[in-house]
Amino acid sequence: MDDLERHSPGLDAAEHWERELITAAKDSLFDNTQEAAAHTLWRLASASAVPRGARVASALFATVATVEQDNHEFAIEQIRHLRDAIGASSGTGSGSGRLLEATLNLQLAVRLYELDRLNETLSELDSLERALARSNAPELEDFAVSDGISWKSRRVQQDIRGALRARGLALRARSESFEGESWVKVVRARPQWADVRIDWAESRRDREVVDETVESLSLWATRRIRFRSREPGIESGLESLLLSELGGDINEILRNRESLGKIRILRRERGAGDLFNAVESIRLLRQGRSKEGLDTAMELARGTWPVEALLRSTEAIIRRSSFLTRSNEFDIRVLKNATDLLTEDEANHAIQGLWNFLERANDDPLRPWSARQLALQTIGALIPAIEKSEQEPVAFRLLRYLKEDAGPHVIIVGAALSVTSQIDWGTVSSRTKSSWISWAADLRQDEELRDHGFSILVAIEPDVALRVFGPPGGDRLVAFLLDQSRARASVSKALMNDGVQSVLASLTKLREEARGSYRTFSGYDAGDLAAALAVKLNHGQLWEEIGDFLADTAVSTDAKARAMDRLSRDFEGLPETLLDRLRAAWGGIEKGTRSQSFLSEQKLPAFPEALRLGALLGTYSDAELLAGVMRLSGDSLQRARIEAARTVPFAMRATRVGEWGHAVLLQLSRDSHLGVRAESARALALTSTAPSALHQLVSHEVEELLASGTVSLPLSALHGFHSLLGAQSTADIGAHLVKVRDLSLAHPSRVVRKAAVRVLEAIGEGMVSA
């Protein structure tokens, strides 16, 4: 941009198409002028009166703008027309013309690769190599070059030729995966001169970001005001991305999109650009195929950023004309995080696109199983958004997919459970249901798929599942008995007793392993299962065994933690004999050993589960509770601060003093980490009616959390209100009723609307449409 402004006076003498091209190229880089600029650039690229080199340059800038708008198909069509025209005009002896043709071949190949059309990508790369083979003819055209370099146009074209060949080889290696040998040549290749400019821009971008981050840590930096004409890392990041996009370097394109997307996240988190930076970061990370970066953006989009950012990003995917025929794993990652934001029509459209994706994936051996798993999980998450009458076609198509397309693959059958568990099988025809039962029953002969078959059949007909597969064994039986959806199943006393015996055996085994200083791992927490089943059955022998288990000093605190948490949540229903046992053994429970292995989480400065249960048992003084909470809230670990927020309501209940607890929660509600803020929102709502001199501040903070415009924060606060009303049906939350009613009617998230409806129902306002 600086160069353009410096040389703009000289443009007055340029031809009209030159001024138009330069202006449109500049405008294509800005969001508010991009669409119109791309239209102008494509017009210039197709104008026969414009020199062919300028037509190719115009097409390159137009391609970048069009791809940013997610319209790869249109860019591919236009490049093909121009490539054919350039090829026809080059004849057989123009080396420069062949370089132009090769440049367009590479752009075509890159954009086809982005659509996962790998066979066409490889075909274009073959065309690229043929064009390059004919580009070393002596008839390379001469043209003026910058006075800042010492070599002539022929050397420039030779550098371009080398860069095109190297970038084509890198793209071929990606397209072949490790099945070809191109990757070996890429590893052995030397960098090209054309890569240096990208490297310079990248190094400047990284230096700016690092310098700003380090400076922000120092006290002196907070005492001065800096006036900048550009945001650190943004302009240099845009420059490095633009150079890699124009040059067709697929590796640099993906890396620079990812880097710029992450920089935009940092800018958004520091209050710059707000919605634009949020939407752009999601697009860049999605188009840059960055799993971890996109997952981070999705977490922020639901918990920190305005929900509008996720809505716009999702609409850009499902409303593009090619959605039904073209989507990838990264599009689906965005969809999966926005399923509760879609309307019924949008959800049906998204489901159709996901089925088409799954059918295409079967023809692509390189498509990872995880992408198909993600697509099925997203379909399952979309089920609540569609009419019950539309669930029958989903059930029918899923069964056909499992039978005919996917085959009995363990990942796919497991993912199918995320769909079958969401379907209301009461609305499905007996014919479709019978077909499902027959298919699932056949899985009982397959050891790898047997458990999945049982779980799928349980979602359809629990009694049939028990009859066909027989009851599961061990901890899976206990999990089955605890699942509230199994209320439809006819569970015999004998089966329930088997579950009790299984839990007792698991606890005995765990204690024996502890005394032997080793531990085996399974998918279930034995202590948590035992506590849950004891609460459900109020079983005397289980209560006794749980007391012995928690009092056993050989058992690590990690193994006890989840059981203690459950007992805290269900404290009112615990028998006095257990409570007396725990109080008597509290010293050993609290100061038990801690597991030391690579699987253990980082040690917290306090034992939060013990603090919560001990607060209810009365085994801690007020000072000890306060000290434990403060150690957690002041720790650098995010998990410690989450546990602090989770513990405060228990401590406030025990101490009967609200001010200190509210002070801690008010501070944690402004924490830099979403998880801490969300847990604080729930705790503030839960304790909002507790006597406290900070009541007005708490009420104001809860209102702000409800009105935050995000998904996670109002949802957490609503969960807090629901827990409060569950424990105290007469609790007065009148100060927040207007906001709760607004959320029940107008929040974009279906999940938030339903949570608000549940709160209103808990205070007797009746059904409200969500």
Side-chain angles (χ1 to χ4, degrees), residues 72 129 229 278 286 294 329 339 389 409 558 692 739:
H72 291 66
E129 291 180 4
S229 61
R286 173 172 62 83
L294 190 57
E329 177 183 353
T339 53
S389 60
H409 193 284
D558 294 336
S692 169
K739 183 57 65 179

Side-chain angles (χ1 to χ4, degrees), residues 409-415 417 420 439-440 443 446-458 469 476:
H409 193 284
V410 64
I411 293 178
I412 299 303
V413 176
L417 180 60
T420 58
W439 176 83
L443 299 181
D446 191 319
E447 280 299 316
E448 193 174 37
L449 300 175
R450 178 183 173 86
D451 288 347
H452 290 317
F454 174 77
S455 298
I456 288 173
L457 202 47
V458 162
F469 284 85
R476 293 192 72 251

Side-chain angles (χ1 to χ4, degrees), residues 120-196:
E120 293 177 77
T121 301
L122 292 171
S123 176
E124 288 298 336
L125 290 174
D126 291 340
S127 299
L128 166 68
E129 291 180 4
R130 288 194 294 271
L132 289 175
R134 297 193 298 271
S135 67
N136 57 355
E139 293 82 4
L140 288 174
E141 299 175 13
D142 288 326
F143 51 81
V145 296
S146 169
D147 293 335
I149 59 176
S150 59
W151 50 88
K152 303 300 182 184
S153 60
R154 179 177 293 273
R155 174 66 181 275
V156 170
Q157 291 174 86
Q158 289 172 345
D159 287 340
I160 292 173
R161 183 170 177 268
L164 291 172
R165 173 167 282 119
R167 291 166 183 178
L169 185 62
L171 181 55
R172 183 179 293 277
R174 271 187 170 270
S175 303
E176 294 173 343
S177 189
F178 283 100
E179 296 181 4
E181 297 182 358
S182 301
W183 66 272
V184 178
K185 298 177 183 178
V186 172
V187 171
R188 292 175 175 173
R190 291 182 299 174
Q192 297 296 311
W193 174 248
D195 298 331
V196 171

